[in-house]
Amino acid sequence: MSELSEVDKTKRLFMGLGSIVIGAGIGGALAYPIFQFAVGNALKTSEGGDEKNWIDLGSAAEFEEGKPTAKKITIEVRDGWVKSSSDETIWVVKRGNDFLTFTATCPHLGCKVNWIPERNEYFCPCHNSAFDVNGEKKPGSASARGLDALEHRVADGKLQVVFQKFKNLLPTKEVFS
């Protein structure tokens, strides 16, 4: 068999190294999503140390003293690979320099409560549950507890809440996870 010329040796070397580089690129491109799938959020760290998702409800000064105000929010819901949004209502009552914040979801069966100013109460039309301005259940209500309060704060003049859903039909407030 004849010896390969220098040109043939260079071609073979180029083709061999080219195959290695292309294979490594494909392997790396496949390894990254596989690694992310396997590890998930385990390596993520929160910025600033505050892991809560604070949602702005508006300027703290815009709320009237003692008057329940409904604020609509849209939250992002993730279920595995599916991402969707959900519209929710938050009831806010200003009390001096503090606030009461409630979900508009009745803790009985999850229907939405409305503020009825003439009766000075939140009312759930599904089973006639009623709650006072502070969110406490009124006598005769079908609900086992009062309205579910949300964690809130005032930051940079804005009222913010951490929205959570809670389990229904229980006498104590438990986060729905």
Side-chain angles (χ1 to χ4, degrees), residues 102 115 120-122 130-138 147:
F102 310 103
W115 175 249
N120 201 34
E121 68 183 14
Y122 300 97
F131 308 89
D132 67 20
V133 71
N134 298 317
E136 298 296 322
K137 74 173 186 160
K138 287 190 167 182
L147 293 176

Side-chain angles (χ1 to χ4, degrees), residues 66-85:
K67 180 183 176 190
T69 305
K71 284 295 195 174
K72 304 276 186 199
I73 61 170
T74 300
I75 59 168
E76 184 178 282
V77 180
R78 288 181 170 249
D79 186 10
W81 296 102
V82 178
K83 184 166 90 171
S84 60
S85 63

Side-chain angles (χ1 to χ4, degrees), residues 30-52:
L30 291 175
Y32 179 72
I34 291 171
F35 175 77
Q36 274 202 313
F37 175 77
V39 174
N41 293 330
L43 299 179
K44 286 187 179 177
T45 58
S46 65
E47 295 179 21
D50 189 359
E51 296 179 20
K52 296 177 182 175

Side-chain angles (χ1 to χ4, degrees), residues 33 44 54 74 77 97 135 145 152 166:
K44 286 187 179 177
W54 292 98
T74 300
V77 180
N97 292 329
R145 66 177 187 269
H152 63 277
F166 301 95

